[in-house]
Amino acid sequence: MNKRKNDLTLKIFSVAIAIVLWSYVMGLKNPEWPREYKVDVEFTNIESLDRRSLIIMEPSEVRVSVGVIGRRSNMEGFNPDNNIVAQLDLRGYGEGESRVPVTVTLKDSPPGVSITKVEPSHVLVTIEKVVTEEKIVNIRTSGSVSAGYSLGELEASPRTILIKGPRSWVNKVSDVFVVVPLSNESTNSRSYPVQITDHNGDEVLGLEVFPSVVEVTVPVYRKATLPIEVVFENELPENYVMTNMEVSPSSVTIRGGNQITDYTSIKTKPVDLNLLLDNPSLEVELDLPDGVELVDPGQRIVVNATIEEMTLKEFEFNSTEISIINKNEDLALEGNEGNVLIQVKGTAGILETLTKERLKPYIDLENLQEGVHEVGIQVNTIEGVTIESIRPETWTVTLRREVIE
């Protein structure tokens, strides 16, 4: 009995030694072979983001380090591109930053191969909302039109465009514009690409633009600078007169077709003279011909007028203050020695400075021969002064040939 027991123990012990020896030999000939590979991570369920107008901002691609182990004989046929699958499942994630786990599995790998590590095991993913905004297209110009021509108001069609992209990119947009070169001397219309920049003037890339080009109409006109002609209507009240009038500015620059070369001045719309009594500085409108406009449409035209009331003033002259002109030297004068009253009319400012000496009343005896004559009393012409009456209007004078004793 003891002998049988000892034989069984010996057999078990022999088997154990055989296993150990086999493992040792196999370890020497076919050892475990750990390997580490860099593997690209596939983003999955992106369509779930698309359905909610979401987009991945960062990272654009991910690589992880995957450790695997297996017997050398098995690992010799291992291909990481075919046998390792690394995925980032984006289902259920929303706008913002999220730590998403990396899922790594083995596909069609040899038996006995297993994963030992994945680094990093999580990836920080930034997701943003895709937004659409309407923007006004500004128009910039380069160069200038030729001398004698004026650029009108440029118009873009359409006036606005849509930009679409991640919220942060759309928020960067500071200016949407097209650049129009100026060189032609006639109105033209062309298409220009839309440009998008941030506040630093750098181009914002990655956005969708609808439409990406706009048509710009560039109106070019002939221009000319012409004097302003003030047109008045109605009459001032009796005894009132306009003593001075100025228009500011005295000229304006207009633009239009080739017909503007036919104009010599630009008239105002009729100005009621009576309005200037209460408002001597009056803003007026221009009566622009059809097809003509101001280069500066906001320019103010102001008429400044001085209107004064006419008054009367009377001067008295004795006979010695009446001048005699053109008398025949061979004739002696006998005549009326009475005083002469002269009434004049003018503005207060003029009459205040008017003196008798400036009026210089006189009678003209030119071509008068011996005898009795009625001679009109005359007065010098003075600007701004009207002679209302001369009393008497004539003098009776007698011309006699001088007797030499």
Side-chain angles (χ1 to χ4, degrees):
M1 184 70 179
N2 290 334
K3 184 178 179 180
R4 288 181 178 180
K5 185 176 181 181
N6 290 336
D7 289 342
L8 179 60
T9 300
L10 182 60
K11 289 178 180 180
I12 294 173
F13 182 70
S14 298
V15 170
I17 291 174
I19 293 173
V20 172
L21 290 174
W22 181 84
S23 299
Y24 174 72
V25 172
M26 290 302 295
L28 291 176
K29 290 185 177 183
N30 191 23
E32 289 189 335
W33 201 10
R35 285 289 180 269
E36 188 170 315
Y37 302 99
K38 293 291 185 181
V39 179
D40 291 328
V41 177
E42 176 190 5
F43 291 15
T44 63
N45 288 313
I46 293 179
E47 63 277 5
S48 69
L49 299 180
D50 294 338
R51 286 194 295 268
R52 293 177 290 153
S53 296
L54 298 173
I55 190 172
I56 300 172
M57 298 299 294
E58 291 182 346
S60 58
E61 59 181 28
V62 176
R63 299 195 79 193
V64 294
S65 180
V66 179
V68 296
I69 193 171
R71 291 293 175 181
R72 180 172 183 173
S73 59
N74 294 332
M75 292 301 296
E76 286 178 349
F78 189 85
N79 185 335
D81 294 333
N82 297 329
N83 300 135
I84 298 178
V85 177
Q87 295 179 326
L88 209 62
D89 188 356
L90 299 173
R91 185 189 301 275
Y93 290 97
E95 188 172 13
E97 292 184 342
S98 302
R99 292 183 74 249
V100 182
V102 180
T103 303
V104 179
T105 58
L106 296 177
K107 176 184 177 183
D108 300 329
S109 66
V113 178
S114 60
I115 297 170
T116 59
K117 70 170 186 177
V118 177
E119 291 182 355
S121 61
H122 290 74
V123 175
L124 186 64
V125 176
T126 301
I127 298 174
E128 282 193 12
K129 189 78 171 177
V130 176
V131 297
T132 300
E133 285 192 8
E134 185 177 24
K135 296 286 187 179
I136 294 176
V137 180
N138 297 311
I139 303 174
R140 298 182 184 178
T141 59
S142 62
S144 60
V145 295
S146 302
Y149 290 84
S150 174
L151 182 66
E153 184 176 355
L154 280 66
E155 295 182 357
S157 179
R159 190 71 184 86
T160 62
I161 54 102
L162 296 177
I163 57 174
K164 180 180 180 182
R167 189 192 306 275
S168 62
W169 292 4
V170 171
N171 290 342
K172 285 183 180 179
V173 175
S174 175
D175 195 8
V176 176
F177 62 94
V178 294
V179 178
V180 178
L182 302 178
S183 59
N184 296 326
E185 295 180 357
S186 59
T187 298
N188 62 87
S189 182
R190 295 179 182 173
S191 295
Y192 299 93
V194 177
Q195 300 183 47
I196 300 175
T197 59
D198 60 19
H199 68 281
N200 293 321
D202 297 326
E203 184 179 3
V204 179
L205 301 174
L207 296 176
E208 297 180 66
V209 181
F210 310 97
S212 60
V213 296
V214 297
E215 185 171 325
V216 179
T217 299
V218 183
V220 180
Y221 306 100
R222 291 290 297 271
K223 71 175 180 179
T225 300
L226 300 176
I228 297 174
E229 180 182 342
V230 181
V231 177
F232 293 106
E233 66 178 0
N234 298 327
E235 298 290 335
L236 289 170
E238 187 176 0
N239 292 328
Y240 282 85
V241 64
M242 181 186 297
T243 58
N244 185 57
M245 189 278 295
E246 295 179 349
V247 57
S248 178
S250 60
S251 62
V252 289
T253 301
I254 61 172
R255 63 188 178 194
N258 292 328
Q259 80 276 14
I260 68 170
T261 57
D262 299 331
Y263 302 122
T264 58
S265 66
I266 295 296
K267 295 181 179 181
T268 66
K269 291 183 178 180
V271 179
D272 188 345
L273 283 169
N274 292 287
L275 294 177
L276 294 170
L277 284 170
D278 298 324
N279 186 7
S281 183
L282 185 65
E283 185 172 350
V284 299
E285 296 182 37
L286 296 178
D287 190 11
L288 294 173
D290 292 340
V292 174
E293 62 183 25
L294 293 177
V295 170
D296 179 7
Q299 191 170 21
R300 297 175 66 247
I301 311 300
V302 178
V303 170
N304 298 298
T306 302
I307 296 177
E308 297 184 70
E309 185 176 6
M310 304 291 284
T311 60
L312 297 174
K313 188 174 184 179
E314 192 169 73
F315 294 89
E316 184 175 0
F317 298 85
N318 59 43
S319 58
T320 63
E321 294 175 311
I322 307 298
S323 299
I324 310 297
I325 65 173
N326 298 319
K327 182 180 77 66
N328 190 324
E329 294 180 357
D330 296 332
L331 300 175
L333 174 66
E334 297 175 1
N336 193 337
E337 297 184 356
N339 290 347
V340 175
L341 296 176
I342 299 178
Q343 189 179 63
V344 297
K345 185 177 183 180
T347 63
I350 292 177
L351 296 186
E352 283 177 4
T353 60
L354 182 63
T355 63
K356 294 171 65 175
E357 290 75 15
R358 291 182 62 194
L359 287 174
K360 295 181 179 180
Y362 63 92
I363 59 173
D364 188 355
L365 303 181
E366 185 175 14
N367 299 323
L368 295 184
Q369 302 300 320
E370 186 177 9
V372 179
H373 304 278
E374 287 288 329
V375 182
I377 300 174
Q378 301 182 57
V379 177
N380 283 342
T381 300
I382 299 175
E383 184 177 359
V385 176
T386 302
I387 305 300
E388 289 292 294
S389 66
I390 300 175
R391 303 190 305 274
E393 295 182 352
T394 62
W395 263 5
T396 301
V397 298
T398 301
L399 293 176
R400 297 184 185 278
R401 190 168 300 277
E402 294 186 8
V403 178
I404 300 175
E405 297 180 358

